[in-house]
């Protein structure tokens, strides 16, 4: 299916474990983003990528790692999960050729760290 | 300083009435875009409307319009003829053209439409 998909949709993990959230888009969009959504904070940017092999930190990058070896994939890894990383995570993509236009979001991944 | 400020945590509107959701932004970049997204209880983020900083006219998309006041740095969303399906969280966002192309989001406004 065309679009942007995240997996898994729901994940429960234990403190200290490594967990990877997957994001895949079929549009060949240049830009990809990872956000976390917490009550009272809106969406906060974790990492973003302007193209394959180009990534940059956002507002809250600590404890997270990203990679982008292919344009269509942008996985987010929590190296050693903590309870404070319990959140809803959104991946988004945007086409650079359309200038400052909208980003399209995945369905979100609800992560619980116990 | 906050890039995007939404000062209304919750709003109520009667069905069929119009409602304005407030958004102010802060940037020194002359090139930027302003956005509104809707998040229903199901959780997905739905793009509603876009306004570019150089656009002369206010953006409109069906029942949605963006009241863009550049000097005041405000980008309020107006929803006309509210429907029950408009009940959702609404997020204002900004994207700066010359500083990384990131999207900055506000904390959101929860809108409830009353029958």
């Amino acid at each position: 299916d065309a679009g942007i998909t995240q997996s898994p949709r729901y994940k429960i993990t234990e403190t200290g474990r490594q967990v990877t959230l997957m994001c895949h888009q079929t549009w060949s969009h240049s830009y990809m983003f990872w956000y976390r959504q917490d009550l009272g904070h809106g969406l906060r940017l974790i990492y973003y990528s302007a193209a394959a092999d180009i990534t940059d930190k956002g507002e809250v990058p600590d404890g997270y790692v990203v990679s982008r070896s292919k344009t269509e994939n942008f996985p987010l890894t929590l190296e050693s999960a903590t309870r404070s990383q319990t959140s809803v995570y959104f991946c988004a993509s945007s086409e650079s050729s359309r200038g400052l236009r909208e980003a399209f979001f995945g369905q979100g991944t609800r992560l619980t760290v116990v | 300083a906050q890039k995007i400020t939404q000062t209304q945590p919750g709003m109520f509107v009667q069905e069929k009435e119009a409602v304005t959701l407030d958004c102010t932004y802060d940037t020194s970049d002359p090139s930027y875009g302003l956005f509104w997204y809707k998040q229903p209880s199901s959780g997905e983020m739905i793009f509603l409307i876009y306004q570019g900083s150089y656009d002369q006219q206010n953006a409109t998309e069906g029942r949605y319009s963006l009241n863009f006041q550049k000097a005041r740095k405000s980008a309020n969303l107006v929803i006309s003829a509210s429907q029950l399906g408009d009940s959702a969280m609404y997020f204002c966002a900004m994207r700066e053209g010359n500083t990384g192309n990131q999207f900055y989001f506000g904390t959101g406004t929860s809108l409830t439409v009353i029958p």
Side-chain angles (χ1 to χ4, degrees), chain A residues 6-11 21-22 34 87-90 107-111:
Chain A
Q6 295 181 231
S7 61
R9 292 291 312 277
Y10 304 91
K11 176 75 176 178
L21 310 184
M22 304 302 292
W34 273 107
S87 186
V88 178
Y89 291 85
F90 283 99
Q107 322 95 299
T109 295
R110 185 175 294 275
L111 176 69

Side-chain angles (χ1 to χ4, degrees), chain A residues 36-44 90 105, chain B residues 4 6 21-23 34-40 43-49 75 77 88-94 104-110:
Chain A
R36 59 176 291 172
Q37 183 178 18
D38 305 288
L39 200 62
H41 291 279
L43 280 80
R44 292 181 292 175
F90 283 99
F105 283 78
Chain B
I4 296 286
Q6 294 181 255
L21 306 185
D22 294 342
C23 173
L34 297 160
F35 307 83
W36 279 91
Y37 284 84
K38 173 183 178 181
Q39 186 179 42
E44 70 267 34
M45 295 288 288
I46 302 168
F47 165 71
L48 295 178
I49 195 166
L77 177 70
M89 281 290 289
Y90 289 82
F91 290 96
C92 180
M94 176 178 67
Y104 298 95
F105 282 82
T107 52
T109 295
S110 176

